[in-house]
Amino acid sequence: MNWEQAWLKYEQDETGTYASFLSSITLKGHSEVLDTAVKELQLAAAAMYGIIPHVNESEKIPHEGIHLVVGDNDMAIGTEGYKIESYGGLITVYGESDVGVLYGVFGVLRLMRSGGIPDGYQGVEIPDNPLRMLNHWDNMDGSIERGYSGESFFFKSGEVIVSERIMDYTRLNASIGINGVVINNVNVAGAAIDLITEKYREPLKTYSDIFRAHGIKLYLSLDYAAPMDIGGLDTCDPLDEQVITWWQRTLDALYSELPDMGGFLIKADSEGRPGPFSYGRTHAEGANMLGKIVAPYGGIILWRCFVYNCTQDWRDTTQDRASASYDHFIPLDGAFDDNVILQIKNGPMDFQVREPVSPLLGAMKATNQVLEFQAAQEYTGQQRHVCYLVPMWKEVLDFRTHCASENDRVRDVVAGRTYAMKHSGIAAVANTGNDSNWTGHDLAAANYYGFGRLIWKTSLTSEEIAEEWVCQTFNREAVDVICNMLMKSWPAYEKYTSPLGIGWMVNPGHHYGPNVDGYEYDMFGTYHRADHLAMGVDRTEAGTGYIDQYFPKNKRMYSSTVTCPESLLLFFHRIPYSYQLSTGKTLIQHIYDAHYEGVETVSEMLEQWTALEGTVEALPYMRVKKRLEHQLDHAGLWRDVVNSYFYRKTLIEDEKGRKLY
Amino acid sequence: MNWEQAWLKYEQDETGTYASFLSSITLKGHSEVLDTAVKELQLAAAAMYGIIPHVNESEKIPHEGIHLVVGDNDMAIGTEGYKIESYGGLITVYGESDVGVLYGVFGVLRLMRSGGIPDGYQGVEIPDNPLRMLNHWDNMDGSIERGYSGESFFFKSGEVIVSERIMDYTRLNASIGINGVVINNVNVAGAAIDLITEKYREPLKTYSDIFRAHGIKLYLSLDYAAPMDIGGLDTCDPLDEQVITWWQRTLDALYSELPDMGGFLIKADSEGRPGPFSYGRTHAEGANMLGKIVAPYGGIILWRCFVYNCTQDWRDTTQDRASASYDHFIPLDGAFDDNVILQIKNGPMDFQVREPVSPLLGAMKATNQVLEFQAAQEYTGQQRHVCYLVPMWKEVLDFRTHCASENDRVRDVVAGRTYAMKHSGIAAVANTGNDSNWTGHDLAAANYYGFGRLIWKTSLTSEEIAEEWVCQTFNREAVDVICNMLMKSWPAYEKYTSPLGIGWMVNPGHHYGPNVDGYEYDMFGTYHRADHLAMGVDRTEAGTGYIDQYFPKNKRMYSSTVTCPESLLLFFHRIPYSYQLSTGKTLIQHIYDAHYEGVETVSEMLEQWTALEGTVEALPYMRVKKRLEHQLDHAGLWRDVVNSYFYRKTLIEDEKGRKLY
């Protein structure tokens, strides 16, 4: 193996605390999932204590060791929940299903290596979200769209790779409760169009087998034009009989060999992809056609709400990209079949460092919804900068949409607590790749781990998740420092990049590094509209009217510069540089100061990390140090470009007399 | 053939004017070049008059037809010159060499199809420049760096293509006097590294054979690190014995099979390519090492003066990319061997729509020099906009460097008239590709044709060249309109893009379309430094000191805002927006107005073209119309982005009250 085990590298525990527990495993019966659980315990026992646990097949309750119990309890913990109890020398893991037990085993191992399992411990864990998914944007040539961790480990040169790495990847997922994986880029092109054909059946069956043994379902992204691209038809109109027949035949064949496929992810009518629109059909008609075909197999259709085919003219200030998804999908509420799910990005724009919550979330009362985050740090430092995203995700999940009087937070909506949804949950664009440490930046693995843990249990704090992760990835001695670094990383990134919710200001195309006007005069609806006196976009009723999409209480909050959260001030309002913020600073001085402060924080982070030399392993130490050095340099560039841009535009001097260019 | 013959499509001439001349060809003896000349006459005779000329091998002077005479005259017309005489029914073409006669034949055919050959006509043509070269930036995967005319016709999928198109391409070159062609990108990578190895010998021999029959020499771009990349050595230090031996062996082998290879083009120590610097050697040491190896074969080494490895920090206003080449190469004057030639871009930056002339030209008195133009319209509309570049090139050639009291124009320097140079001339980055019309935009072929004609005879006017080209490509009826369009195209492009010599303001990477700050905070030394009050770069002695590189008279001219040509005002000076130009307009109003005027001109051009429907062939008519429509739209975007950028920065209203955003 030339890759690493991330948070599943079970390190030698010289205290021997859990050696006796890991000496014997008792369970009744067999299944592939239970085998996975036992193997994981064996792996941990060998690595931590150099022992091979004795596996007892028995119905009797053992006196010591670890006891895995399926179904034999009267707790309402659902099909994926588990309970852990520790009394005397015995740790018992209960689950209603094999998968629950597997999750419980990962829970036991996590506790052993982070918080500990004291005698008398009792803990029940039930996942908050039914669907807990990763979306990989991997292409079949091995590249990864917005991938910052090397090449794909699923695909290479047009082939599906079956390697040991898939097994470890699957273990990492199962250990944090991921239960669905879309392996190919939602922009389906080239060889990926054929993934649903016989050609790739064998390796996909292998994937499906490995996934199944870990409680995970395989999903594919579909090419909506496949009836034309593969089928040779001259249309992909979802109401065309030939099209329907083609999909029926193709997906029947697929399910006959891959009976537990989870379903399909589709991005249609956006970024140049064809879709139902091309034939005058609604997205509901387009999605339901596929939904009906996969329904008998228990399959689902995830329909992505990122629609921006209607590019803008920057000269037209009445159009607003932020409004597009809501305007488009709200009229379809109730029109989607019950195995069709809308997948909604957390914000109305595109994974910026700061956006308001998408007004779609909570607004659709009769439509299955999955929330989409982006763990891949496209706009948040591309895994060359540290940017711990769990605090951002928590803000989204904790946001009150006011769609209901209670259970109205985003986390309630997507967990299915607000409205009865047949399917709901959370997905993230994955941040993994073939780099030995999985995520390019060692500290970016906290976002992979953190995503899984947070969506399993949305009440976990960002600090708790960070601490768990550091304990398992590095060691207890490094917890305080690394958690501190992680917790200040997103605020720092926000400070030294685009101010107060306005977003963008990146180089076009690759989206890395500062370019204040990079997308300012482009067709993508991403404008700051800064002039000599003011900047920001008026999205109130006097402006683009976007705020109308929120429920009244939020609309009121955003409509006034006084009540609008300052972090989103420039997203919702056009503000003069002389405007006084709550700190007493003017907007322009805030911009200057924040950019200096953000870089200062990175400088602190580099110092903090340097002090960890010897505390963390040499290889990750050096890797992270090198990236932090780049981050400091690059954050300085961000600071100077953004500050100089506004200085040149306003000619307002920095009150503190620092150098502007 | 699914491509077109550009200006060599001999169209039926219903007047029959030259039918009798083309009925018989008389010459003495054979050679491949003379065969080419005869074949071209036959091709023309068949196409223009449907006749097959009778070819007479005779020493006697015929009474009529065309007589090709090699060496049999006492005129000093050099090895490539020719003389044409027409008396009675006989046209005689004299040359001191076969190649002279070939050029004369193309001259005859050009005259027949444009200006005409009246009875009694006598004309001597001697090329002004010894080296007349095209540099292709073609990669072996078939792509072309900065190519806007489709894929390469030299390379595809790592192979060298031998096709009929090479023959037609070679005819096009010979017809305008090109005598050297570098077929591969000066950034040598991938399969191209192996072009000098046995692997590609066969197709290169074919190329060389075809070229030779047309008076053209084949050149290759070299990978300076080839001793490492191919030879397996651990250095490419030009003073290392193993390196020298490796090159000697490799190039000996190459010349043994391709004895008339012209030589090699090298770009070292720039854009990340290795070079002599990496080993503490000078560029003279690096180039001479290769020069000595190819000298016995009559080969030459073209060493490209585009050095900008030392990227800049935009925050450092003392550094100036414009100064880099001069600073670097001047100390090496006299140090290069006499078969080594420095290839110098026309300006100090990089083929912008307006730059001053490179101060290197004329400043090196003891170094062979080749001037480099760029026919590929990287920064001048990428062959989607019409931009006839001959007027720009003429300005460069006519520029007085004041390096000598007379013969001090750039055209004198590169022709070898100012200082005695063993080799000199002009090269252009080619604008051709696999598109059926060769240059993507039909009107861009005027730059291909015009480059060859201009460097053959630098006294030709832009209008004369345009007229010749239109006659041969379209027809006489279209001359006035198309020449008018061509002549106003560069001024228009300049007006609606970056103002007064400041350059850039393009989208990074692909360099297409407006982005005023696109490279403003980048590392490439390409800054406008606009703030609320002023813009431009002070390159006087009070500024970066760049003007010191010019001879005193030019230095004085550039040093004052009064004597500096206004078209270069912002290149040399930092100017307030309120500064009054010679027109009486303020700088900012000039920017606004020029951008409107430039777009207005495009609008006129579109109207002019539309009026040609029926006058020019339907296919090129439609192609050009479509591109002009795009150009009008895109010029409008340029206008609005640039004007709005400066409006937002200055908040100075347009005096004419036009809409700014």
Side-chain angles (χ1 to χ4, degrees), chain A residues 546-561:
Chain A
Y546 164 75
I547 61 163
D548 278 341
Q549 298 186 346
Y550 289 94
F551 287 93
K553 209 162 170 178
N554 287 333
K555 183 183 160 180
R556 274 197 304 280
M557 171 177 72
Y558 290 137
S559 70
S560 148
T561 54

Side-chain angles (χ1 to χ4, degrees), chain A residues 313-316 507-508 514-522 528-533 633 636-641 644-651 659 661, chain B residues 313-316 507-508 514-522 528-533 633 636-641 644-651 659 661:
Chain A
D313 189 323
W314 59 273
R315 290 165 282 207
D316 176 358
N507 283 303
N515 193 333
V516 180
D517 278 357
Y519 280 114
E520 183 58 14
Y521 302 93
D522 219 322
H528 56 66
R529 303 202 186 276
D531 66 19
H532 178 59
L533 297 175
D633 186 57
L637 181 67
W638 266 101
R639 174 196 63 207
D640 291 340
V641 169
S644 298
Y645 177 95
F646 286 104
Y647 173 63
R648 291 189 192 182
K649 209 150 208 162
T650 63
L651 289 187
K659 175 80 177 159
Y661 301 89
Chain B
D313 189 324
W314 59 274
R315 290 164 285 206
D316 177 358
N507 283 303
N515 192 333
V516 181
D517 277 358
Y519 279 113
E520 183 59 16
Y521 301 94
D522 219 321
H528 56 67
R529 304 204 186 276
D531 67 19
H532 177 58
L533 297 176
D633 186 57
L637 182 67
W638 265 101
R639 174 197 63 207
D640 291 341
V641 169
S644 298
Y645 177 95
F646 287 104
Y647 173 64
R648 290 189 193 182
K649 208 150 209 163
T650 63
L651 289 188
K659 175 80 178 162
Y661 300 90

Side-chain angles (χ1 to χ4, degrees), chain B residues 423-642:
Chain B
H423 300 279
S424 68
I426 307 184
V429 180
N431 65 351
T432 53
N434 232 348
D435 280 354
S436 68
N437 64 357
W438 297 89
T439 52
H441 202 309
D442 287 82
L443 301 188
N447 291 327
Y448 178 9
Y449 180 86
F451 169 71
R453 293 291 292 140
L454 176 67
I455 66 170
W456 174 282
K457 186 172 185 172
T458 51
S459 60
L460 284 174
T461 67
S462 302
E463 291 84 350
E464 285 168 341
I465 293 172
E467 190 174 326
E468 277 183 6
W469 175 76
V470 177
C471 281
Q472 295 169 83
T473 304
F474 297 102
N475 53 57
R476 261 177 245 280
E477 288 67 48
V479 163
D480 287 348
V481 170
I482 298 179
C483 286
N484 183 273
M485 289 173 65
L486 290 175
M487 288 307 296
K488 61 194 181 196
S489 62
W490 173 49
Y493 194 83
E494 185 177 18
K495 281 182 176 180
Y496 63 73
T497 59
S498 73
L500 302 183
I502 197 69
W504 314 95
M505 303 194 171
V506 292
N507 283 303
H510 58 68
H511 299 167
Y512 193 66
N515 192 333
V516 181
D517 277 358
Y519 279 113
E520 183 59 16
Y521 301 94
D522 219 321
M523 64 182 103
F524 301 107
T526 54
Y527 315 121
H528 56 67
R529 304 204 186 276
D531 67 19
H532 177 58
L533 297 176
M535 69 177 298
V537 178
D538 184 357
R539 290 192 161 99
T540 68
E541 289 189 319
T544 71
Y546 164 75
I547 62 163
D548 278 342
Q549 297 186 347
Y550 289 93
F551 287 93
K553 208 160 171 180
N554 286 334
K555 182 182 162 181
R556 274 198 303 280
M557 171 178 70
Y558 290 137
S559 69
S560 146
T561 53
V562 178
T563 53
C564 179
E566 269 183 0
S567 61
L568 288 168
L569 192 62
L570 297 174
F571 187 91
F572 285 107
H573 298 278
R574 182 162 181 80
I575 303 290
Y577 299 109
S578 57
Y579 178 87
Q580 203 172 52
L581 298 176
S582 61
T583 54
K585 288 180 189 178
T586 59
L587 171 60
I588 188 77
Q589 192 59 38
H590 167 84
I591 292 174
Y592 294 154
D593 286 351
H595 281 79
Y596 278 97
E597 286 161 22
V599 178
E600 193 48 46
T601 305
V602 179
S603 178
E604 282 164 29
M605 286 161 61
L606 177 56
E607 276 174 41
Q608 287 176 291
W609 187 260
T610 308
L612 287 179
E613 188 169 5
T615 306
V616 299
E617 274 179 65
L619 195 61
Y621 171 79
M622 282 311 301
R623 280 194 303 240
V624 171
K625 183 157 183 276
K626 213 173 145 190
R627 295 208 178 204
L628 281 167
E629 284 163 353
H630 167 75
Q631 183 178 357
L632 181 58
D633 186 57
H634 199 241
L637 182 67
W638 265 101
R639 174 197 63 207
D640 291 341
V641 169
V642 173

Side-chain angles (χ1 to χ4, degrees), chain A residues 57-91:
Chain A
E57 301 240 5
S58 166
E59 302 209 5
K60 282 200 283 189
I61 297 172
H63 293 294
E64 57 182 17
I66 292 183
H67 188 199
L68 307 182
V69 184
V70 182
D72 187 21
N73 61 71
D74 54 4
M75 294 165 288
I77 53 174
T79 53
E80 295 183 308
Y82 61 86
K83 181 177 180 186
I84 299 171
E85 287 179 353
S86 175
Y87 293 110
L90 181 67
I91 291 174

